[in-house]
Coordinates of all heavy atoms in Angstrom, one line a residue:
L30 N 0.8 -1.2 0.0 CA 0.0 0.0 0.0 C 0.9 1.2 0.0 O 1.9 1.3 0.7 CB -0.9 0.0 1.2 CG -1.9 -1.1 1.3 CD1 -2.6 -1.1 2.7 CD2 -2.9 -1.0 0.3
H31 N 0.5 2.2 -0.8 CA 1.2 3.4 -0.9 C 0.3 4.6 -0.9 O -0.9 4.5 -1.1 CB 2.0 3.5 -2.2 CG 2.9 2.3 -2.4 ND1 4.0 2.1 -1.8 CD2 2.7 1.2 -3.2 CE1 4.5 1.0 -2.1 NE2 3.8 0.4 -3.0
G32 N 0.8 5.8 -0.6 CA 0.0 7.0 -0.8 C -0.4 7.6 0.5 O -0.2 7.1 1.6
Q33 N -1.2 8.7 0.4 CA -1.6 9.5 1.5 C -2.6 8.7 2.4 O -2.7 9.0 3.6 CB -2.2 10.8 1.1 CG -1.3 11.7 0.3 CD -2.0 12.8 -0.4 OE1 -3.2 12.9 -0.4 NE2 -1.3 13.7 -1.0
A34 N -3.4 7.9 1.8 CA -4.5 7.2 2.5 C -4.1 5.8 3.1 O -4.9 5.1 3.6 CB -5.7 7.1 1.7
R35 N -2.8 5.5 3.0 CA -2.3 4.2 3.4 C -2.9 3.8 4.8 O -3.3 2.6 5.0 CB -0.8 4.2 3.4 CG -0.2 2.9 3.8 CD 1.3 2.9 3.8 NE 1.8 1.6 4.2 CZ 3.0 1.2 4.1 NH1 3.9 2.0 3.6 NH2 3.4 0.0 4.5
A36 N -2.7 4.6 5.8 CA -3.1 4.2 7.2 C -4.6 3.9 7.2 O -5.0 2.9 7.9 CB -2.9 5.4 8.1
Y37 N -5.4 4.5 6.5 CA -6.9 4.3 6.4 C -7.1 2.8 5.9 O -7.9 2.1 6.5 CB -7.6 5.2 5.5 CG -9.1 5.0 5.4 CD1 -9.9 5.3 6.4 CD2 -9.5 4.3 4.3 CE1 -11.3 5.0 6.3 CE2 -10.9 4.0 4.2 CZ -11.8 4.3 5.2 OH -13.1 4.0 5.0
Y38 N -6.4 2.4 4.8 CA -6.6 1.2 4.2 C -6.0 0.0 5.0 O -6.3 -1.1 4.8 CB -6.2 1.2 2.8 CG -7.0 2.1 1.9 CD1 -6.3 3.2 1.3 CD2 -8.3 1.9 1.7 CE1 -7.1 4.1 0.5 CE2 -9.0 2.8 0.9 CZ -8.4 3.9 0.3 OH -9.2 4.7 -0.4
E39 N -5.1 0.3 5.9 CA -4.5 -0.7 6.7 C -5.3 -1.1 8.0 O -5.0 -2.0 8.7 CB -3.1 -0.3 7.1 CG -2.2 -0.4 5.9 CD -0.8 0.1 6.3 OE1 -0.6 0.9 7.2 OE2 0.2 -0.4 5.6
R40 N -6.4 -0.3 8.2 CA -7.2 -0.6 9.5 C -7.9 -1.9 9.3 O -8.4 -2.3 8.2 CB -8.2 0.6 9.6 CG -7.5 1.9 9.9 CD -8.4 3.0 10.2 NE -9.7 2.9 9.6 CZ -10.7 3.8 9.4 NH1 -10.5 5.0 10.0 NH2 -11.8 3.6 8.8
P41 N -8.2 -2.6 10.4 CA -8.9 -3.8 10.4 C -10.3 -3.7 9.8 O -10.8 -4.6 9.1 CB -9.0 -4.2 11.9 CG -7.9 -3.6 12.5 CD -7.7 -2.3 11.8
A42 N -10.9 -2.6 9.9 CA -12.2 -2.4 9.3 C -12.3 -2.5 7.8 O -13.3 -2.8 7.2 CB -12.9 -1.1 9.8
F43 N -11.1 -2.3 7.2 CA -11.0 -2.4 5.7 C -10.6 -3.8 5.2 O -10.6 -4.0 4.0 CB -10.0 -1.3 5.3 CG -10.1 -1.0 3.8 CD1 -11.1 -0.2 3.3 CD2 -9.2 -1.5 3.0 CE1 -11.1 0.1 1.9 CE2 -9.2 -1.3 1.6 CZ -10.2 -0.4 1.1
N44 N -10.3 -4.7 6.1 CA -9.8 -6.0 5.7 C -10.7 -6.8 4.7 O -10.2 -7.3 3.7 CB -9.6 -6.9 6.9 CG -8.4 -6.5 7.7 OD1 -7.5 -5.6 7.3 ND2 -8.2 -7.0 8.9
A45 N -12.0 -6.8 5.0 CA -12.9 -7.6 4.1 C -12.9 -7.0 2.7 O -12.8 -7.8 1.7 CB -14.3 -7.7 4.7
L46 N -13.0 -5.7 2.6 CA -13.0 -5.1 1.2 C -11.6 -5.3 0.6 O -11.6 -5.6 -0.6 CB -13.4 -3.6 1.3 CG -13.4 -2.9 0.0 CD1 -14.3 -3.6 -1.0 CD2 -13.8 -1.5 0.2
R47 N -10.6 -5.1 1.3 CA -9.2 -5.3 0.7 C -9.1 -6.7 0.2 O -8.5 -6.9 -0.9 CB -8.1 -5.0 1.8 CG -6.7 -5.0 1.2 CD -5.6 -4.6 2.1 NE -5.6 -5.3 3.3 CZ -5.9 -4.8 4.5 NH1 -6.2 -3.5 4.6 NH2 -5.9 -5.5 5.6
D48 N -9.6 -7.7 1.0 CA -9.5 -9.1 0.5 C -10.2 -9.3 -0.8 O -9.8 -10.0 -1.7 CB -10.0 -10.0 1.6 CG -9.1 -10.1 2.8 OD1 -8.0 -9.7 2.7 OD2 -9.7 -10.6 3.8
E49 N -11.4 -8.7 -0.9 CA -12.2 -8.7 -2.2 C -11.4 -8.1 -3.3 O -11.4 -8.6 -4.4 CB -13.6 -8.0 -2.0 CG -14.5 -8.8 -1.1 CD -15.1 -10.1 -1.9 OE1 -15.2 -10.1 -3.1 OE2 -15.3 -11.1 -1.2
L50 N -10.9 -7.0 -3.1 CA -10.2 -6.3 -4.1 C -8.9 -7.0 -4.6 O -8.6 -7.1 -5.8 CB -9.7 -4.9 -3.6 CG -10.9 -3.9 -3.4 CD1 -10.3 -2.6 -2.8 CD2 -11.6 -3.6 -4.7
E51 N -8.2 -7.6 -3.6 CA -7.0 -8.4 -4.0 C -7.3 -9.7 -4.7 O -6.5 -10.2 -5.5 CB -6.2 -8.7 -2.7 CG -5.5 -7.5 -2.1 CD -4.9 -7.8 -0.8 OE1 -5.1 -8.8 -0.2 OE2 -4.2 -6.8 -0.3
A52 N -8.6 -10.2 -4.6 CA -9.0 -11.4 -5.3 C -9.3 -11.1 -6.8 O -9.3 -12.0 -7.6 CB -10.2 -12.0 -4.7
R53 N -9.4 -9.8 -7.1 CA -9.7 -9.5 -8.5 C -8.5 -9.4 -9.4 O -7.4 -9.3 -8.9 CB -10.4 -8.1 -8.6 CG -11.7 -8.1 -7.7 CD -12.6 -7.0 -8.1 NE -13.8 -7.1 -7.3 CZ -14.9 -7.7 -7.7 NH1 -15.0 -8.2 -8.9 NH2 -16.0 -7.7 -6.9
A54 N -8.7 -9.6 -10.7 CA -7.6 -9.6 -11.6 C -6.9 -8.2 -11.7 O -7.6 -7.2 -11.6 CB -8.1 -9.9 -13.0
A55 N -5.6 -8.3 -11.7 CA -4.8 -7.0 -11.8 C -4.8 -6.5 -13.2 O -5.1 -7.2 -14.2 CB -3.4 -7.3 -11.4
L56 N -4.6 -5.2 -13.3 CA -4.5 -4.6 -14.7 C -3.2 -5.0 -15.3 O -2.2 -5.3 -14.6 CB -4.5 -3.0 -14.5 CG -5.8 -2.4 -14.1 CD1 -5.6 -0.9 -13.9 CD2 -6.9 -2.7 -15.1
S57 N -3.2 -5.0 -16.6 CA -2.0 -5.4 -17.3 C -1.0 -4.2 -17.2 O -1.3 -3.1 -16.9 CB -2.3 -5.6 -18.8 OG -2.7 -4.4 -19.4
R58 N 0.3 -4.6 -17.5 CA 1.3 -3.5 -17.5 C 1.0 -2.4 -18.5 O 1.2 -1.2 -18.2 CB 2.7 -4.1 -17.8 CG 3.2 -5.0 -16.7 CD 4.8 -5.1 -16.9 NE 5.3 -6.0 -15.8 CZ 5.7 -5.5 -14.7 NH1 5.5 -4.2 -14.4 NH2 6.2 -6.3 -13.8
A59 N 0.4 -2.8 -19.6 CA 0.0 -1.7 -20.6 C -1.0 -0.8 -20.0 O -0.9 0.4 -20.2 CB -0.5 -2.4 -21.9
A60 N -2.0 -1.4 -19.4 CA -3.0 -0.5 -18.8 C -2.4 0.4 -17.7 O -2.8 1.6 -17.6 CB -4.1 -1.4 -18.1
L61 N -1.5 -0.1 -16.9 CA -0.9 0.7 -15.9 C 0.0 1.8 -16.4 O 0.4 2.8 -15.7 CB 0.0 -0.1 -14.9 CG -0.9 -1.1 -14.1 CD1 0.0 -2.0 -13.3 CD2 -1.8 -0.3 -13.1
S62 N 0.3 1.8 -17.7 CA 1.1 2.9 -18.3 C 0.2 4.0 -18.8 O 0.7 5.0 -19.3 CB 2.0 2.3 -19.5 OG 1.2 1.9 -20.5
A63 N -1.1 3.9 -18.7 CA -2.0 4.9 -19.1 C -1.7 6.2 -18.3 O -1.3 6.2 -17.1 CB -3.4 4.5 -18.8
P64 N -1.9 7.4 -18.9 CA -1.6 8.6 -18.2 C -2.3 8.8 -16.8 O -1.7 9.3 -15.9 CB -2.2 9.7 -19.2 CG -2.1 9.0 -20.5 CD -2.4 7.6 -20.2
Y65 N -3.5 8.2 -16.7 CA -4.2 8.3 -15.4 C -3.3 7.8 -14.2 O -3.2 8.3 -13.2 CB -5.5 7.6 -15.4 CG -6.2 7.7 -14.0 CD1 -6.9 8.8 -13.6 CD2 -6.1 6.6 -13.1 CE1 -7.4 8.9 -12.4 CE2 -6.7 6.7 -11.9 CZ -7.3 7.8 -11.5 OH -7.9 7.9 -10.3
F66 N -2.6 6.7 -14.5 CA -1.9 6.0 -13.5 C -0.5 6.6 -13.2 O 0.2 6.2 -12.3 CB -1.7 4.5 -13.8 CG -3.1 3.8 -13.7 CD1 -3.7 3.3 -14.8 CD2 -3.8 3.7 -12.5 CE1 -4.9 2.7 -14.8 CE2 -5.0 3.0 -12.4 CZ -5.6 2.5 -13.6
Q67 N -0.2 7.6 -14.0 CA 1.0 8.4 -13.7 C 0.8 9.6 -12.8 O 1.8 10.3 -12.4 CB 1.6 8.9 -15.1 CG 1.8 7.7 -16.1 CD 2.5 6.5 -15.5 OE1 3.5 6.6 -14.9 NE2 1.8 5.3 -15.8
R68 N -0.4 9.8 -12.5 CA -0.8 11.0 -11.6 C -0.2 10.8 -10.2 O -0.1 9.6 -9.8 CB -2.3 11.1 -11.5 CG -3.0 11.4 -12.8 CD -4.5 11.1 -12.7 NE -5.1 11.8 -11.6 CZ -5.7 12.9 -11.6 NH1 -6.0 13.5 -12.8 NH2 -6.2 13.4 -10.6
S69 N -0.1 11.8 -9.5 CA 0.4 11.7 -8.1 C -0.8 11.4 -7.1 O -0.5 11.0 -6.0 CB 1.1 13.0 -7.7 OG 0.2 14.1 -7.7
A70 N -2.0 11.6 -7.5 CA -3.2 11.3 -6.7 C -4.3 10.9 -7.6 O -4.4 11.2 -8.7 CB -3.6 12.6 -5.9
P71 N -5.3 10.1 -7.0 CA -6.4 9.6 -7.8 C -7.4 10.7 -8.0 O -7.4 11.8 -7.3 CB -7.0 8.5 -6.9 CG -6.6 9.0 -5.5 CD -5.2 9.6 -5.6
C72 N -8.3 10.5 -9.0 CA -9.3 11.5 -9.3 C -10.4 11.2 -8.2 O -10.8 10.1 -7.9 CB -10.0 11.1 -10.6 SG -11.4 12.1 -11.1
T73 N -10.8 12.3 -7.6 CA -11.9 12.2 -6.6 C -13.0 13.2 -6.9 O -12.9 14.1 -7.8 CB -11.3 12.6 -5.2 OG1 -10.8 14.0 -5.3 CG2 -10.2 11.7 -4.7
L74 N -14.1 13.1 -6.3 CA -15.2 14.0 -6.5 C -15.9 14.2 -5.1 O -17.1 13.9 -4.9 CB -16.2 13.5 -7.5 CG -17.2 14.5 -8.1 CD1 -16.5 15.7 -8.7 CD2 -18.1 13.8 -9.1
L75 N -15.2 14.8 -4.2 CA -15.6 15.1 -2.9 C -16.5 16.3 -2.9 O -16.4 17.2 -3.7 CB -14.5 15.2 -1.9 CG -13.5 14.0 -1.9 CD1 -12.2 14.4 -1.1 CD2 -14.2 12.8 -1.4
I76 N -17.4 16.4 -1.8 CA -18.3 17.5 -1.8 C -17.6 18.9 -1.8 O -18.0 19.8 -2.4 CB -19.2 17.4 -0.6 CG1 -20.3 18.4 -0.6 CG2 -18.5 17.6 0.8 CD1 -21.3 18.2 -1.7
D77 N -16.4 19.0 -1.1 CA -15.7 20.2 -1.2 C -15.2 20.6 -2.6 O -15.3 21.8 -3.0 CB -14.4 20.1 -0.3 CG -14.7 20.0 1.2 OD1 -15.9 20.2 1.5 OD2 -13.8 19.7 1.9
E78 N -14.8 19.6 -3.4 CA -14.5 19.9 -4.8 C -15.7 20.3 -5.6 O -15.6 21.3 -6.4 CB -14.0 18.6 -5.4 CG -12.7 18.1 -4.9 CD -12.3 16.8 -5.6 OE1 -12.7 15.8 -5.0 OE2 -11.6 16.8 -6.6
I79 N -16.9 19.7 -5.4 CA -18.1 20.1 -6.1 C -18.5 21.5 -5.7 O -18.8 22.3 -6.6 CB -19.2 19.1 -5.7 CG1 -18.9 17.8 -6.3 CG2 -20.5 19.6 -6.3 CD1 -19.8 16.6 -5.8
E80 N -18.3 21.8 -4.4 CA -18.6 23.2 -4.0 C -17.7 24.2 -4.7 O -18.2 25.3 -5.1 CB -18.6 23.3 -2.5 CG -19.8 22.6 -1.9 CD -19.7 22.6 -0.3 OE1 -18.6 22.9 0.2 OE2 -20.7 22.2 0.3
R81 N -16.4 23.9 -4.8 CA -15.5 24.8 -5.5 C -15.8 25.0 -7.0 O -15.7 26.1 -7.5 CB -14.0 24.3 -5.3 CG -13.5 24.7 -3.9 CD -12.0 24.4 -3.8 NE -11.6 23.1 -4.1 CZ -11.5 22.1 -3.2 NH1 -11.9 22.3 -2.0 NH2 -11.2 20.9 -3.6
L82 N -16.2 23.9 -7.6 CA -16.5 23.9 -9.0 C -17.8 24.8 -9.2 O -17.8 25.7 -10.1 CB -16.8 22.5 -9.5 CG -15.7 21.5 -9.6 CD1 -16.2 20.1 -9.9 CD2 -14.6 22.0 -10.5
W83 N -18.8 24.6 -8.3 CA -20.0 25.4 -8.4 C -19.7 26.9 -8.1 O -20.2 27.8 -8.8 CB -21.1 24.9 -7.5 CG -22.3 25.8 -7.5 CD1 -22.8 26.5 -6.5 CD2 -23.1 26.0 -8.7 NE1 -23.8 27.2 -6.9 CE2 -24.1 26.9 -8.3 CE3 -23.1 25.6 -10.0 CZ2 -25.1 27.4 -9.1 CZ3 -24.1 26.0 -10.8 CH2 -25.1 26.9 -10.4
Q84 N -18.9 27.2 -7.1 CA -18.5 28.5 -6.7 C -17.9 29.3 -8.0 O -18.2 30.4 -8.2 CB -17.5 28.5 -5.6 CG -17.2 29.9 -5.1 CD -16.3 29.9 -3.8 OE1 -15.7 28.9 -3.5 NE2 -16.3 31.0 -3.1
A85 N -17.0 28.6 -8.6 CA -16.3 29.3 -9.8 C -17.4 29.6 -10.9 O -17.3 30.7 -11.5 CB -15.3 28.4 -10.4
I86 N -18.3 28.7 -11.0 CA -19.4 29.0 -12.1 C -20.3 30.0 -11.6 O -20.6 31.0 -12.3 CB -20.2 27.6 -12.4 CG1 -19.3 26.6 -13.0 CG2 -21.4 27.9 -13.2 CD1 -19.8 25.2 -13.0
A87 N -20.8 29.9 -10.3 CA -21.8 30.9 -9.8 C -21.2 32.3 -9.7 O -21.9 33.3 -10.0 CB -22.3 30.4 -8.5
E88 N -20.0 32.4 -9.2 CA -19.5 33.7 -8.9 C -18.8 34.4 -10.1 O -18.8 35.6 -10.3 CB -18.4 33.7 -7.8 CG -19.1 33.3 -6.5 CD -18.0 33.2 -5.3 OE1 -16.9 33.4 -5.6 OE2 -18.5 32.9 -4.2
R89 N -18.2 33.6 -11.0 CA -17.4 34.2 -12.1 C -17.7 33.7 -13.5 O -17.1 34.0 -14.5 CB -15.9 33.9 -11.8 CG -15.4 34.5 -10.5 CD -13.9 34.2 -10.3 NE -13.5 32.8 -10.4 CZ -13.7 31.9 -9.3 NH1 -14.3 32.4 -8.2 NH2 -13.3 30.7 -9.5
D90 N -18.8 32.8 -13.5 CA -19.1 32.1 -14.8 C -17.9 31.4 -15.4 O -17.7 31.4 -16.6 CB -19.8 33.1 -15.8 CG -20.4 32.4 -17.0 OD1 -20.9 31.3 -16.7 OD2 -20.5 33.0 -18.0
D91 N -17.1 30.9 -14.5 CA -15.8 30.2 -14.9 C -16.1 28.7 -14.9 O -16.1 28.1 -13.9 CB -14.7 30.6 -13.9 CG -13.4 29.9 -14.2 OD1 -13.3 29.3 -15.3 OD2 -12.4 30.1 -13.4
W92 N -16.1 28.2 -16.1 CA -16.4 26.8 -16.3 C -15.1 26.0 -16.5 O -15.2 24.8 -16.6 CB -17.3 26.6 -17.5 CG -18.7 27.1 -17.3 CD1 -19.2 28.4 -17.3 CD2 -19.8 26.3 -16.9 NE1 -20.5 28.4 -17.0 CE2 -20.9 27.1 -16.8 CE3 -20.1 24.9 -16.8 CZ2 -22.2 26.7 -16.5 CZ3 -21.3 24.5 -16.5 CH2 -22.4 25.3 -16.3
A93 N -13.9 26.6 -16.4 CA -12.7 25.9 -16.7 C -12.5 24.8 -15.6 O -12.1 23.7 -16.0 CB -11.5 26.9 -16.7
P94 N -12.7 25.1 -14.3 CA -12.4 24.0 -13.3 C -13.4 22.8 -13.5 O -13.0 21.6 -13.4 CB -12.7 24.7 -11.9 CG -12.5 26.1 -12.2 CD -12.9 26.4 -13.6
F95 N -14.6 23.1 -13.9 CA -15.6 22.0 -14.2 C -15.1 21.2 -15.4 O -15.1 20.0 -15.4 CB -17.0 22.6 -14.5 CG -18.0 21.6 -14.9 CD1 -18.6 20.9 -13.9 CD2 -18.4 21.5 -16.2 CE1 -19.6 19.9 -14.2 CE2 -19.4 20.5 -16.5 CZ -20.0 19.8 -15.6
A96 N -14.7 21.9 -16.5 CA -14.2 21.2 -17.6 C -12.9 20.4 -17.3 O -12.8 19.2 -17.8 CB -13.9 22.2 -18.8
A97 N -12.1 20.9 -16.5 CA -10.9 20.1 -16.0 C -11.3 18.8 -15.3 O -10.7 17.8 -15.5 CB -10.0 21.0 -15.2
K98 N -12.3 19.0 -14.4 CA -12.8 17.8 -13.6 C -13.4 16.8 -14.6 O -13.1 15.6 -14.4 CB -13.7 18.2 -12.6 CG -14.3 17.1 -11.7 CD -13.2 16.2 -11.1 CE -12.4 16.9 -10.0 NZ -11.6 16.0 -9.2
I99 N -14.1 17.2 -15.5 CA -14.7 16.3 -16.5 C -13.6 15.5 -17.3 O -13.7 14.3 -17.5 CB -15.6 17.0 -17.5 CG1 -16.9 17.5 -16.7 CG2 -16.0 16.1 -18.7 CD1 -17.8 16.5 -16.1
S100 N -12.5 16.2 -17.7 CA -11.4 15.6 -18.3 C -10.7 14.5 -17.4 O -10.4 13.5 -17.9 CB -10.3 16.7 -18.7 OG -10.9 17.5 -19.7
E101 N -10.6 14.9 -16.1 CA -10.0 13.9 -15.2 C -10.9 12.6 -15.1 O -10.4 11.5 -15.1 CB -10.0 14.5 -13.8 CG -8.9 15.4 -13.5 CD -8.9 15.8 -12.0 OE1 -8.9 14.9 -11.1 OE2 -8.9 17.0 -11.7
I102 N -12.2 12.8 -15.1 CA -13.1 11.7 -14.9 C -13.0 10.9 -16.2 O -13.0 9.6 -16.2 CB -14.5 12.2 -14.7 CG1 -14.6 12.8 -13.3 CG2 -15.6 11.1 -14.8 CD1 -15.9 13.6 -12.9
R103 N -13.0 11.5 -17.4 CA -12.9 10.8 -18.6 C -11.6 10.0 -18.7 O -11.5 8.9 -19.3 CB -13.0 11.8 -19.8 CG -14.5 12.2 -20.0 CD -14.7 13.1 -21.2 NE -16.1 13.3 -21.4 CZ -16.6 14.5 -21.8 NH1 -15.7 15.4 -22.3 NH2 -17.9 14.7 -21.9
E104 N -10.5 10.6 -18.2 CA -9.2 10.0 -18.2 C -9.3 8.7 -17.4 O -8.8 7.6 -17.8 CB -8.1 10.9 -17.7 CG -6.7 10.3 -17.7 CD -5.7 11.3 -17.2 OE1 -5.8 11.8 -16.1 OE2 -4.8 11.6 -18.0
L105 N -9.9 8.8 -16.2 CA -10.1 7.6 -15.4 C -11.0 6.5 -16.1 O -10.6 5.4 -16.2 CB -10.8 8.0 -14.1 CG -11.3 6.8 -13.2 CD1 -10.1 5.9 -12.8 CD2 -11.9 7.4 -11.9
G106 N -12.1 7.0 -16.7 CA -13.0 6.1 -17.5 C -12.2 5.3 -18.6 O -12.5 4.2 -18.9
A107 N -11.3 6.0 -19.3 CA -10.6 5.5 -20.4 C -9.7 4.3 -19.9 O -9.5 3.4 -20.7 CB -9.7 6.5 -21.0
T108 N -9.4 4.2 -18.7 CA -8.6 3.1 -18.1 C -9.4 1.8 -18.1 O -8.9 0.7 -18.1 CB -8.0 3.4 -16.8 OG1 -9.1 3.5 -15.8 CG2 -7.2 4.6 -16.7
Q109 N -10.7 1.9 -18.0 CA -11.6 0.8 -17.9 C -11.6 -0.1 -19.2 O -11.8 -1.3 -19.2 CB -13.0 1.2 -17.6 CG -13.2 1.9 -16.3 CD -12.6 1.2 -15.2 OE1 -13.0 0.1 -14.9 NE2 -11.7 1.8 -14.4
N110 N -11.2 0.5 -20.3 CA -11.1 -0.2 -21.6 C -9.8 -0.9 -21.8 O -9.6 -1.6 -22.8 CB -11.4 0.7 -22.7 CG -12.8 1.4 -22.6 OD1 -13.7 0.7 -22.2 ND2 -12.9 2.6 -23.0
Q111 N -8.9 -0.7 -20.8 CA -7.5 -1.2 -21.0 C -7.2 -2.4 -20.0 O -6.1 -2.8 -19.9 CB -6.5 -0.1 -20.7 CG -6.6 1.0 -21.7 CD -5.7 2.1 -21.3 OE1 -4.9 2.0 -20.4 NE2 -5.8 3.2 -22.0
A112 N -8.2 -2.9 -19.3 CA -8.0 -3.9 -18.3 C -7.5 -5.2 -18.8 O -7.5 -5.5 -20.0 CB -9.3 -4.2 -17.5

């Protein structure tokens, strides 16, 4: 396990889900070379992010952060075809 959330995933409460995930097939090396997996952090869509996206639109009619988030989500989605 690596990354910022490591301690969370090592807790006993996560064991059952971790076992299920580990039983699944791993991505191929080619899939892991996708740009998404070269990122320093995963794509998330937490409420704080949604609020910031909406704030930019509501206050400044700035859709750029929203468009960037959609691009991130599409980049993640593209990895599903490479499994």
Side-chain angles (χ1 to χ4, degrees):
L30 295 172
H31 307 285
Q33 299 170 352
R35 179 181 180 167
Y37 176 79
Y38 294 117
E39 289 179 331
R40 296 185 328 193
F43 196 77
N44 288 347
L46 179 56
R47 185 175 53 250
D48 292 344
E49 286 289 325
L50 293 172
E51 289 174 350
R53 302 202 179 263
L56 290 176
S57 68
R58 288 199 182 274
L61 292 174
S62 68
Y65 177 80
F66 294 110
Q67 307 313 307
R68 298 165 49 102
S69 61
C72 176
T73 59
L74 194 58
L75 304 172
I76 190 67
D77 293 348
E78 293 176 271
I79 294 169
E80 289 174 350
R81 283 191 301 274
L82 296 173
W83 176 245
Q84 184 178 17
I86 294 167
E88 292 179 1
R89 300 179 304 280
D90 195 28
D91 180 3
W92 289 78
F95 178 78
K98 181 52 74 173
I99 294 298
S100 292
E101 281 185 54
I102 293 168
R103 287 184 175 147
E104 184 178 56
L105 172 59
T108 67
Q109 300 306 304
N110 299 326
Q111 300 174 4

